[in-house]
Amino acid sequence: MPRLTVSMLAGKPDAYRTAILDNLYRAMRETLGVPDDDQFITLTEHAPANFRFGNAYGIARSADLVYIQITVFDTRTPEQKKALYRRIAELLAESPGLRPEDVFINVYDAPAVNWSVGGGVAQFG
């Protein structure tokens, strides 16, 4: 039951953004085993004045940088998360052609009781 938020500079075509969304879902299916149609992803675009990045940690980033924030149940292992990071970078390199240096991912772990996916009910806790 991952929830993803993608942030990037505005101006990329629809096909580019769709490739990001499709490949994020594919990576989650392959590495985290998320159920079919478990797609809760938003993508927000920002004007240059509202989007900052640097080259900290020895990584030369470009204006193609995407921030990917993923919230998941706190049951995911470090190995699953590392596999997810790798697979996202691989798939986004294939399409839409992002350099791995421009894929910035962070994962938040949340207890299952912290989730309500509709109806005002804690379905998982």
Side-chain angles (χ1 to χ4, degrees):
M1 173 76 234
R3 169 72 178 88
L4 285 78
T5 303
V6 180
S7 300
M8 59 188 281
L9 282 170
K12 298 294 186 186
D14 288 350
Y16 188 97
R17 294 188 316 273
T18 297
I20 290 173
L21 297 173
D22 289 348
N23 281 315
L24 289 173
Y25 175 60
R26 179 178 170 190
M28 289 188 305
R29 296 269 297 153
E30 292 177 4
T31 62
L32 302 182
V34 300
D36 187 37
D37 207 29
D38 189 342
Q39 299 187 62
F40 300 96
I41 309 169
T42 56
L43 188 148
T44 57
E45 297 180 276
H46 304 273
N50 299 322
F51 191 86
R52 286 193 180 181
F53 61 91
N55 294 322
Y57 308 104
I59 299 180
R61 297 172 185 90
S62 78
D64 288 334
L65 175 69
V66 293
Y67 293 122
I68 302 165
Q69 187 175 76
I70 305 170
T71 305
V72 295
F73 291 150
D74 60 358
T75 57
R76 306 299 183 178
T77 67
E79 292 75 24
Q80 285 177 305
K81 292 174 190 175
K82 290 175 185 177
L84 177 64
Y85 304 151
R86 255 188 325 273
R87 192 64 180 137
I88 288 172
E90 291 168 356
L91 290 172
L92 294 182
E94 291 174 16
S95 179
L98 281 168
R99 298 175 326 125
E101 295 86 356
D102 288 325
V103 179
F104 185 115
I105 305 166
N106 71 308
V107 172
Y108 289 113
D109 294 317
V113 72
N114 287 9
W115 296 76
S116 173
V117 297
V121 178
Q123 286 88 351
F124 307 105

